[in-house]
């Protein structure tokens, strides 16, 4: 082949590099085209990038076009244009294909963020590698590290060739340590001290060791935020002419320390001389003017100006004007130090909702999500309804994250689509197992609880259990969307056999089966009221004789067979109120929830009693991202009997007593062990009559003892505080699945009917250890402290608690470590 130079194109493209072009004549007619060097790119695809065909006359300009076109395809890193007679020869070297991308040494930037940045530059596995892009990526990453104070950071792209024109791309990070802030100075401030001005700064220096929330590492974006905080401090106090004249950031020679100086001009205070509202506010001038915080004669306040603009915008948004323009125009009078504020309002067009779409819901049906959306299609777009809908969706226990966006429809100025982007999380728990133990013997367990059954939003549960102390089966069902108005309907059916002697309660055996139904009504977005009715049939046998239970047993005992089993029926009516402003259904970090319930057996029941319970939780975010949060909670309960049946004064059945201890009440104590114990009097002696009849002996000879098992009580008060902290070694995006908290639990269960003074008159049996506690004393509280880790696992919720009992009473069973699975938080 005879190669002749056609054109030298070394400087045609600033970013192009190719060997040379060869031909003898500057122009010739192309009789044939040959492409050499193709490996991955098909010949047909390569020819589509050639703006030259057989029969065309080739000249310098056409060669320039040809080379530009080939490089613009992004498939080639080297191009040669050659001539073999009248044949155009295009010799190319393809860009290597990226086989793998590796990140090494990156701590401040997650792999996902890095890959997202590379994707934006077209650098991804399976795509050709443009080496010219790598330099800009390296520099961009270095700039990022510089912005967070890591001035010794370095980023290197390493390309490793592989067979078949492939490469491995490794981004090697050497982040180094961030520069610490050595000092922050504010120059020019006379009215406020440095300490007062920097109190609200995020950037801090010379902080005490225990102030672990302070940020002492330099970050450029945080500095910008602190400068805005400084500006607002003055503007919110009337210093309308305040200005940050300059900011200097200097480093120590070794680039490990930062000195920051801000030069400011404070100016003087300005008062508001007049507030004028102009523009179209849709006839609501009187209401808006009445609620505006801006008042003539008061100091200018930038925060109130901003609030006013946002308030008017949100207010107009309630009527479908979703994109209003509200501008405050100040007219400053420097002579008398006053300012006139003119609020200019342009509501824009009224916006209607075209369609509401849901993205990300793999399990949950769209119809279920729509049940929780207040904003309707075809109606005005309301900011209030959008936020309300987001909050309602977020409170669903099977939703991890919910966001929304409004998308304008091309060609339509008054219509938008609303897209709700949701992320689901596990909505149920499953447990199954088989085991053997000295206490439980053979145990079999199987159960499933699903809060979003088949994506319908219905709650369905089936639980079967057999251990030495209990055999039970229960079916539960609840449809929160029984009607389109949000009325719920549910029911339950259950059966259980229980042996208290093998559990942590007093000795008795029971059989119970029950059936119930409930219906709920929504009052508004936050409040709901529920009504329920449950029928129960209970059989008690093999009972232990305790002083606190005898009054209940006596009303059913058969005199001819005092040890026979007793049975009773009850119809329990209940009403409950619940309120929730939580930001999420599971693992909330803000808002509160309260629930109060009252239940009472109907007069035609064999037992007459009532119970009332209140639960409250309050969450207070401590950081902007809400990874740090404070929780306060309380649970109160009281129950008792009412009236009398056949001359028997009614008391609360001991099977309905409150108990405490365990992961859902008092961590650090064994389940159901906190509270009153069973008390009994023994060894009273007997007197035998002449005909063999037996009479009780002298009660004064009775000896007092009590069980190690809990009886429970009719009153309860539990509470606690928790500091929710980021879980160590867990990524931030797992915060909705894993939670760690430091807690303090406190509370007690007591019996208001217990007569402590009566039992104190008896001698304590020699075999009894310890001292009888006053089980009617509410102040005999217990407390504990520790750390808890909760995880929404594929098998259901898991709770790990490490705790130390701080205040415990005689006979309490403390536990340092507890573990639970399948328990609702």
């Amino acid at each position: 082949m005879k190669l002749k130079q056609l054109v030298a194109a070394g400087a045609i493209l600033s970013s192009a590099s190719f060997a040379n072009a060869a031909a003898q004549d500057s122009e010739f007619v192309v009789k044939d085209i040959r492409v050499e060097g193709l490996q991955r790119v098909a010949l047909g695809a390569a020819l589509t990038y050639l703006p030259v065909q057989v029969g065309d006359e080739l000249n310098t300009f056409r060669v320039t076009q040809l080379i530009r076109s080939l490089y613009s395809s992004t498939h080639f890193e080297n191009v040669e244009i050659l001539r073999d007679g009248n044949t155009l020869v295009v010799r190319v070297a393809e860009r290597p294909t990226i086989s793998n991308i590796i990140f090494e040494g990156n701590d401040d930037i997650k792999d996902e963020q890095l890959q997202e940045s590379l994707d934006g530059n077209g650098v991804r596995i399976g795509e050709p590698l443009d080496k010219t892009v790598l330099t800009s990526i390296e520099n961009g990453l270095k700039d990022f590290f510089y912005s967070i104070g890591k001035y010794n950071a370095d980023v290197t792209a390493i390309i490793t060739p592989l067979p078949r024109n492939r490469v491995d791309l490794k981004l090697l990070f050497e982040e180094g340590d961030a520069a610490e802030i050595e000092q922050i100075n504010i120059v020019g401030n006379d009215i406020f001290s440095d300490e007062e001005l920097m109190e609200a700064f995020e950037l801090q220096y010379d902080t005490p060791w225990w102030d672990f929330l302070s940020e002492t590492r330099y970050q450029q974006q945080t500095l910008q935020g602190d400068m805005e905080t400084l500006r607002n401090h003055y503007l919110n106090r009337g210093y309308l002419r305040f200005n940050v004249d300059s900011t200097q950031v200097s480093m120590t020679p070794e680039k490990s320390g930062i000195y920051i100086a801000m030069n400011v001009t404070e100016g003087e205070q300005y008062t508001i001389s007049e507030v004028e509202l102009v523009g179209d506010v849709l006839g609501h001038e009187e209401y808006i003017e009445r609620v505006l915080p801006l008042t003539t004669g008061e100091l200018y306040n930038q925060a109130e100006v901003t609030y006013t603009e946002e308030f008017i915008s949100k207010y107009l948004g309630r009527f479908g004007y979703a994109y209003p323009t509200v501008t405050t125009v100040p007219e400053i009078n420097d002579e008398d130090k006053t300012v006139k504020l003119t609020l200019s309002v342009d509501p824009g067009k009224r916006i209607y909702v075209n369609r509401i779409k849901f993205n990300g819901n793999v399990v949950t049906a769209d119809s279920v999500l729509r049940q929780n959306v207040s904003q309707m299609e075809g109606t005005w777009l309301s900011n209030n309804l959008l936020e309300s809908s987001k909050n309602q969706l977020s409170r669903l226990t099977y939703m991890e994250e919910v966001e929304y966006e409004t998308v304008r429809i091309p060609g339509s100025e008054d219509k938008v689509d609303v897209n709700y982007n949701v992320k689901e999380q596990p909505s149920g728990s499953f447990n199954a197992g088989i085991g053997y133990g000295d206490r439980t013997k053979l145990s079999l367990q199987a159960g499933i609880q699903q809060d979003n059954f088949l994506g319908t939003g219905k709650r369905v549960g089936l639980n079967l259990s057999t251990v030495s102390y209990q055999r039970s089966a229960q079916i539960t069902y609840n449809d929160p969307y029984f009607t389109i108005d949000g009325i719920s309907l549910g029911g339950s059916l259950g059966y259980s056999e229980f042996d208290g002697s093998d559990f942590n309660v007093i000795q008795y055996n029971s059989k119970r089966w029950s059936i119930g139904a409930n219906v709920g009504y929504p009052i508004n977005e936050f409040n709901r009221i529920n009504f329920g009715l449950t029928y129960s049939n209970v059989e008690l046998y093999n009972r232990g004789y305790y002083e606190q239970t005898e009054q209940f047993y006596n009303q059913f005992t058969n005199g001819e067979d005092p040890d026979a089993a007793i049975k009773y029926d009850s119809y329990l009516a209940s009403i409950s109120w619940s309120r929730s402003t939580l930001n999420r259904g599971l693992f909330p970090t803000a808002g509160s929830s309260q629930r109060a319930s009252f239940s009472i057996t109907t007069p035609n029941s064999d037992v007459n009693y009532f119970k009332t319970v209140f639960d409250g939780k309050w969450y207070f975010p401590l950081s902007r991202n809400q990874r740090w949060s404070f929780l306060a909670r309380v649970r109160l309960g009281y129950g008792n009997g009412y009236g009398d049946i056949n001359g028997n004064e009614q008391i609360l059945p001991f099977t309905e007593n409150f108990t405490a201890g365990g992961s859902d009440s008092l961590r650090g104590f064994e389940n159901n062990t906190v509270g009153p114990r069973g008390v009994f009097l023994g060894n009273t002696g007997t007197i035998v009559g002449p005909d063999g009849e037996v009479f009780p002996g002298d009660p004064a000879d009775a000896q007092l003892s009590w069980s190690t098992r809990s009886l429970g009580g009719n009153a309860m008060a539990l509470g606690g505080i928790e500091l929710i902290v980021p879980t160590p070694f867990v990524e931030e995006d797992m915060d909705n699945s894993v939670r760690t908290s430091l807690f303090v639990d406190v509370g007690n269960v007591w019996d208001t009917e217990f007569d402590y003074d009566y039992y104190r008159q008896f001698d304590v049996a020699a075999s009894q250890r310890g001292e009888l506690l006053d089980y009617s004393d509410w102040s005999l509280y217990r407390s504990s402290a520790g750390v808890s880790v909760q995880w929404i696992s594929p098998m259901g919720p898991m709770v790990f608690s490490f705790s130390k009992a701080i205040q415990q009473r005689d006979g309490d069973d403390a536990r340092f470590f507890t573990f639970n699975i399948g328990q609702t938080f």
Side-chain angles (χ1 to χ4, degrees):
M1 178 188 299
K2 184 179 180 181
L3 303 178
K4 299 179 180 180
Q5 183 175 11
L6 176 64
V7 64
I12 292 178
L13 299 174
S14 59
S15 63
S17 64
F18 48 85
N20 55 24
Q24 184 176 14
D25 302 322
S26 60
E27 296 182 0
F28 72 98
V29 176
V30 178
K31 299 298 184 181
D32 191 16
I33 299 176
R34 187 168 71 247
V35 182
E36 299 177 350
L38 295 177
Q39 296 181 16
R40 175 177 49 84
V41 181
L43 176 60
L47 292 176
T48 61
Y49 298 112
L50 296 178
V52 177
Q53 298 179 358
V54 174
D56 290 349
E57 182 176 313
L58 192 65
N59 53 33
T60 303
F61 176 73
R62 298 295 294 274
V63 170
T64 301
Q65 287 184 313
L66 187 152
I67 294 174
R68 288 181 181 274
S69 179
L70 286 172
Y71 275 103
S72 66
S73 70
T74 71
H75 293 297
F76 310 109
E77 67 176 2
N78 193 48
V79 176
E80 287 183 275
I81 306 300
L82 307 169
R83 176 182 177 183
D84 183 8
N86 289 330
T87 298
L88 173 64
V89 180
V90 180
R91 183 174 296 166
V92 298
E94 292 183 358
R95 288 178 177 173
T97 302
I98 302 175
S99 176
N100 194 21
I101 299 176
I102 303 170
F103 306 111
E104 185 176 308
N106 53 303
D107 294 326
D108 278 318
I109 311 180
K110 299 179 182 178
D111 287 2
E112 295 78 9
Q113 294 174 305
L114 288 170
Q115 188 58 61
E116 183 178 345
S117 176
L118 294 181
D119 288 343
N121 289 277
V123 180
R124 60 177 67 90
I125 295 176
E127 295 292 331
L129 174 62
D130 183 358
K131 297 179 181 178
T132 62
V133 176
L134 294 181
T135 301
S136 63
I137 292 176
E138 290 176 341
N139 293 333
L141 292 172
K142 289 179 183 178
D143 290 340
F144 166 78
F145 285 116
Y146 295 165
S147 69
I148 61 173
K150 293 192 172 184
Y151 292 99
N152 293 314
D154 190 24
V155 182
T156 306
I158 302 174
I159 301 174
T160 304
L162 299 174
R164 301 193 304 277
N165 198 29
R166 296 176 300 122
V167 295
D168 275 350
L169 173 62
K170 177 190 285 187
L171 287 178
L172 182 61
F173 296 84
E174 295 181 7
E175 295 186 353
D177 295 326
E180 296 283 335
I181 300 175
E182 299 290 341
Q183 193 170 4
I184 301 176
N185 292 318
I186 302 176
V187 181
N189 54 309
D190 297 323
I191 301 171
F192 302 102
S193 66
D194 287 5
E195 291 75 15
E196 184 177 358
L197 294 176
M198 289 189 290
E199 186 176 353
F201 279 17
E202 284 195 58
L203 293 179
Q204 298 288 334
Y205 71 97
D206 194 25
T207 58
W209 64 268
W210 47 263
D211 191 3
F212 50 84
L213 290 178
S214 295
E215 180 59 76
T216 59
R217 299 192 315 171
Y218 172 72
Q219 296 191 42
Q220 186 178 13
Q221 290 183 342
T222 307
L223 176 59
Q224 295 296 326
D226 287 342
M227 290 172 61
E228 189 64 26
T229 299
L230 178 63
R231 183 177 291 105
N232 289 334
H233 180 88
Y234 279 90
L235 293 179
N236 294 342
R237 291 161 176 77
Y239 295 90
L240 193 54
R241 293 296 192 186
F242 171 81
N243 186 54
V244 178
D245 301 323
S246 62
T247 303
Q248 294 86 36
V249 178
S250 57
M251 290 182 293
T252 58
E254 63 278 7
K255 299 182 179 180
S256 62
I258 295 290
Y259 291 88
I260 301 173
M262 302 180 188
N263 298 281
V264 303
T265 299
E266 292 180 316
E268 298 186 40
Q269 288 181 307
Y270 285 71
T271 58
I272 300 175
S273 60
E274 184 181 352
V275 179
E276 184 179 6
L277 185 64
V278 300
D280 185 8
V281 290
L282 312 176
H284 297 282
E285 292 89 350
E286 182 179 350
Y287 173 77
I288 292 177
E289 290 175 352
R290 187 170 65 252
V291 300
L292 288 184
L294 301 175
T295 305
T296 301
E298 292 189 351
L299 288 175
Y300 175 85
N301 189 314
Q302 180 65 38
E304 291 185 351
V305 172
T306 303
Y307 169 80
T308 300
E309 294 175 345
E310 293 176 349
F311 170 79
I312 296 176
S313 296
K314 291 181 179 180
Y315 183 76
L316 296 179
R318 296 172 57 185
F319 305 101
Y321 297 88
Y323 305 106
T325 301
V326 182
T327 306
T328 302
V329 181
E331 297 181 26
I332 302 175
N333 188 329
D334 290 321
E335 293 183 1
D336 58 6
K337 300 299 182 291
T338 61
V339 57
K340 174 185 177 182
L341 301 178
T342 302
L343 296 171
S344 176
V345 181
D346 179 9
K349 290 184 175 294
R350 174 172 281 177
I351 306 299
Y352 294 84
V353 177
N354 178 51
R355 292 191 59 192
I356 296 177
K357 304 175 184 178
F358 299 95
N359 303 311
N361 51 313
V362 179
V363 176
T364 311
D366 280 11
S367 58
V368 175
L369 300 180
R370 290 185 186 277
Q371 290 277 4
N372 293 275
V373 173
S374 305
Q375 177 72 66
M376 297 288 110
E377 295 176 345
T379 61
W380 303 335
L381 177 68
S382 171
N383 295 333
N384 284 359
L385 294 179
L386 289 177
E387 282 295 326
S388 172
S389 301
K390 174 187 173 180
N391 293 335
Q392 292 183 67
L393 289 170
S394 298
R395 294 188 194 108
L396 297 175
T397 57
Y398 41 88
M399 285 296 147
E400 183 176 338
E401 293 180 1
V402 179
E403 297 294 340
Y404 70 85
E405 60 179 349
T406 56
V407 181
R408 288 183 177 269
I409 299 177
S412 179
E413 296 182 358
D414 61 348
K415 290 185 178 180
V416 297
D417 287 338
V418 178
N419 295 333
Y420 281 94
N421 302 306
V422 303
K423 181 180 180 181
E424 296 171 312
Q425 64 184 1
S427 58
S429 61
F430 171 77
N431 62 80
I434 181 171
Y436 185 87
D438 293 336
R439 184 174 67 87
T440 61
K441 306 303 178 184
L442 180 67
S443 64
L444 300 170
Q445 292 182 336
I448 185 171
Q449 177 74 38
Q450 178 60 254
D451 290 349
N452 187 20
F453 183 68
L454 298 179
T456 62
K458 299 176 182 178
R459 180 176 300 171
V460 178
L462 172 62
N463 286 278
L464 304 173
S465 174
T466 173
V467 293
S468 63
Y469 55 84
Q470 185 175 32
R471 290 186 297 171
S472 64
Q474 185 178 40
I475 300 174
T476 58
Y477 171 84
N478 185 68
D479 183 1
Y481 312 109
F482 182 67
T483 70
I484 195 173
D485 299 325
I487 295 177
S488 64
L489 181 66
S492 63
L493 177 64
Y495 174 81
S496 68
E497 296 181 4
F498 180 77
D499 184 355
S501 62
D502 285 330
F503 199 53
N504 292 326
V505 294
I506 62 172
Q507 176 187 340
Y508 74 94
N509 288 62
S510 71
K511 294 181 181 179
R512 176 195 294 263
W513 72 269
S514 62
I515 184 171
N518 60 80
V519 60
Y521 297 88
I523 300 174
N524 53 36
E525 176 187 351
F526 305 109
N527 295 270
R528 189 176 187 87
I529 189 169
N530 287 271
F531 301 92
L533 181 64
T534 301
Y535 165 75
S536 298
N537 175 268
V538 180
E539 178 182 353
L540 300 177
Y541 60 98
N542 192 27
R543 65 182 186 265
Y545 290 86
Y546 303 95
E547 290 295 313
Q548 300 103 310
T549 62
E550 283 306 288
Q551 181 178 349
F552 175 76
Y553 281 130
N554 287 341
Q555 60 183 319
F556 300 102
T557 299
N558 184 346
E560 297 180 358
D561 187 6
D563 295 323
I566 64 173
K567 297 181 180 180
Y568 59 90
D569 297 327
S570 64
Y571 300 87
L572 187 68
S574 63
I575 179 174
S576 65
W577 160 80
S578 60
R579 178 181 182 273
S580 176
T581 61
L582 299 176
N583 61 339
R584 282 197 297 266
L586 282 178
F587 290 164
T589 55
S592 66
S593 68
Q594 298 83 36
R595 187 178 189 275
S597 64
F598 177 79
S599 56
I600 186 171
T601 57
T602 58
N604 61 322
S605 301
D606 293 336
V607 290
N608 288 343
Y609 68 88
F610 66 89
K611 291 178 71 174
T612 181
V613 178
F614 173 80
D615 281 287
K617 295 182 179 180
W618 295 265
Y619 291 85
F620 305 93
L622 300 178
S623 60
R624 294 183 180 180
N625 60 7
Q626 299 188 2
R627 299 195 72 195
W628 295 78
S629 187
F630 179 81
L631 164 64
R633 52 186 170 77
V634 64
R635 188 180 189 206
L636 307 174
Y638 177 75
N640 216 326
Y642 72 92
D644 62 80
I645 297 179
N646 300 325
N648 296 302
E649 183 181 359
Q650 296 295 288
I651 62 173
L652 182 70
F654 67 90
T655 57
E656 300 294 332
N657 278 352
F658 299 109
T659 59
S663 61
D664 61 342
S665 55
L666 276 172
R667 287 162 287 194
F669 296 87
E670 182 62 44
N671 289 337
N672 306 317
T673 61
V674 172
R677 306 287 196 265
V679 175
F680 43 91
L681 296 172
N683 299 326
T684 59
T686 57
I687 301 175
V688 181
D691 297 324
E693 67 271 28
V694 178
F695 297 98
D698 187 353
D701 295 332
Q703 291 186 336
L704 177 70
S705 58
W706 53 91
S707 71
T708 58
R709 302 180 183 275
S710 173
L711 173 69
N714 70 332
M716 169 187 63
L718 303 171
I721 56 176
E722 295 191 38
L723 176 64
I724 300 169
V725 301
T727 304
F729 314 113
V730 174
E731 299 292 340
E732 184 175 351
D733 55 8
M734 291 290 292
D735 282 350
N736 293 339
S737 300
V738 182
R739 165 165 289 183
T740 300
S741 61
L742 308 176
F743 66 84
V744 175
D745 291 345
V746 62
N748 190 25
V749 173
W750 68 97
D751 183 0
T752 62
E753 303 297 318
F754 185 77
D755 191 348
Y756 179 63
D757 292 333
Y758 169 74
Y759 293 109
R760 290 179 62 187
Q761 65 180 310
F762 299 100
D763 293 332
V764 177
S767 60
Q768 182 67 58
R769 296 181 179 180
E771 181 181 358
L772 177 67
L773 299 177
D774 184 358
Y775 298 134
S776 66
D777 186 356
W778 63 269
S779 65
L780 294 179
Y781 67 91
R782 281 79 165 172
S783 62
S784 63
V787 59
S788 175
V789 179
Q790 305 173 26
W791 174 35
I792 306 295
S793 73
M795 294 181 60
M798 293 186 178
V799 183
F800 307 84
S801 297
F802 301 86
S803 49
K804 171 68 175 177
I806 300 174
Q807 178 67 269
Q808 61 185 101
R809 306 296 175 178
D810 187 32
D812 287 345
D813 190 0
R815 286 288 185 269
F816 172 71
F817 173 73
T818 57
F819 164 72
N820 290 277
I821 182 172
Q823 179 175 338
T824 303
F825 302 134

